[in-house]
Amino acid sequence: MKVISYNLRKHKAADELAALVEQHDPDLLCLQECLTTSLPERIGSLQLVDATQGNRLGLALYSRTAMFHVEDVRTVGLKKSLHDRVLRPAHERVLGARLRDIDSGRAFVVASFHAAPLTALNSLRRHQIRAALDALAELGTGLPILMMGDYNYPVFKENLSQNISRHGYAMTLSDDHTYTRYRVFRGHYDFATSTGFRIDRMQTLPQGVSDHRPVVVEAELD
């Protein structure tokens, strides 16, 4: 299956979605920083599974209806940073769904994730990642999980990878940096954590109007 994740930068890149889906033909689409009330029900062959409702900048998840049956959806609020408490941009930082592959009959969990901004400590983001994965595991005991999105984790990724590995998950980075701003700040901010999946490829796509670049994962259930 092919999954694209994209932070729309306060919905500014929303007009790129139709072309992105047409060109890369994903089976799943995970979005961050979108105005959920302005999202279309369909983008090409993809149907909106669900979107957060309580955020100024929300999350959304699309899936290919001919390929997957949606069994359950869950939105999760995570521990807040000071930025969240003052400006209240986002409380629901995880949107997950349990899907069943129509052909194989196998179920799995996929999620769009947006960690606290860079003003927060890495320790808070590590807590959010673990809490998010724990919440997604409740959607189906023992099911494969793939969580993609904006992790806002620019440095010390080796420590994060080791921490995630101790909890039974793998962290996958794409082939090039995913974030560029002011031509100075750049790095791998958007990546994937998974269990029960074989990640064959993770690629960073060309940059549009967002400060984040879309990433695409090609993965198979183990």
Side-chain angles (χ1 to χ4, degrees), residues 64 67-71 97-108 143:
R64 189 185 296 274
M67 191 170 181
F68 305 115
H69 173 67
V70 180
E71 295 188 335
R98 186 176 74 241
L99 306 179
R100 189 169 297 276
D101 187 291
I102 294 173
D103 289 337
S104 70
R106 297 189 62 185
F108 64 94
L143 290 182

Side-chain angles (χ1 to χ4, degrees), residues 113-220:
F113 172 71
H114 192 188
L118 296 177
T119 52
L121 298 174
N122 273 350
S123 58
L124 173 63
R125 282 186 284 273
R126 287 195 300 272
H127 181 279
Q128 290 182 330
I129 293 167
R130 290 195 301 270
L133 293 171
D134 287 345
L136 294 175
E138 294 177 1
L139 275 171
T141 303
L143 290 182
I145 295 173
L146 175 62
M147 184 171 79
M148 294 184 60
D150 178 7
Y151 284 69
N152 274 324
Y153 213 100
V155 295
F156 306 119
K157 286 187 178 61
E158 183 176 347
N159 292 340
L160 175 61
S161 179
Q162 292 172 354
N163 184 280
I164 288 173
S165 179
R166 285 195 294 269
H167 289 81
Y169 293 85
M171 186 177 87
T172 306
L173 301 181
S174 58
D175 59 350
D176 198 2
H177 68 273
T178 69
Y179 178 84
T180 301
R181 195 165 190 180
Y182 309 124
R183 299 184 180 179
V184 176
F185 301 103
R186 62 168 52 192
H188 285 84
Y189 285 38
D190 307 80
F191 48 90
T193 49
S194 62
T195 184
F197 277 89
R198 185 187 75 245
I199 306 297
D200 297 322
R201 185 186 185 196
M202 188 163 183
Q203 179 184 9
T204 303
L205 300 177
Q207 187 153 13
V209 299
S210 176
D211 48 1
H212 290 257
R213 296 165 65 185
V215 294
V216 56
V217 161
E218 295 178 16
E220 297 293 338

Side-chain angles (χ1 to χ4, degrees), residues 80-120:
K80 295 181 179 181
S81 66
L82 178 60
H83 180 89
D84 290 335
R85 295 180 186 281
V86 174
L87 298 179
R88 292 183 289 181
H91 170 61
E92 301 162 313
R93 290 194 170 273
V94 188
L95 174 63
R98 186 176 74 241
L99 306 179
R100 189 169 297 276
D101 187 291
I102 294 173
D103 289 337
S104 70
R106 297 189 62 185
F108 64 94
V109 174
V110 66
S112 181
F113 172 71
H114 192 188
L118 296 177
T119 52

Side-chain angles (χ1 to χ4, degrees), residues 10-57:
K10 302 178 182 179
H11 207 71
K12 292 180 180 179
D15 290 343
E16 300 171 9
L17 293 175
L20 189 68
V21 168
E22 181 179 5
Q23 180 178 356
H24 296 282
D25 196 28
D27 305 306
L28 297 160
L29 178 64
C30 300
L31 301 177
Q32 305 89 42
E33 287 198 24
C34 52
L35 299 178
T36 57
T37 56
S38 299
L39 290 173
E41 285 294 318
R42 295 192 67 88
I43 304 176
S45 60
L46 303 181
Q47 175 73 35
L48 180 65
V49 174
D50 204 356
T52 55
Q53 301 298 319
N55 295 357
R56 178 168 58 86
L57 297 172

Side-chain angles (χ1 to χ4, degrees), residues 55-66:
N55 295 357
R56 178 168 58 86
L57 297 172
L59 307 171
L61 179 63
Y62 286 81
S63 75
R64 189 185 296 274
T65 54

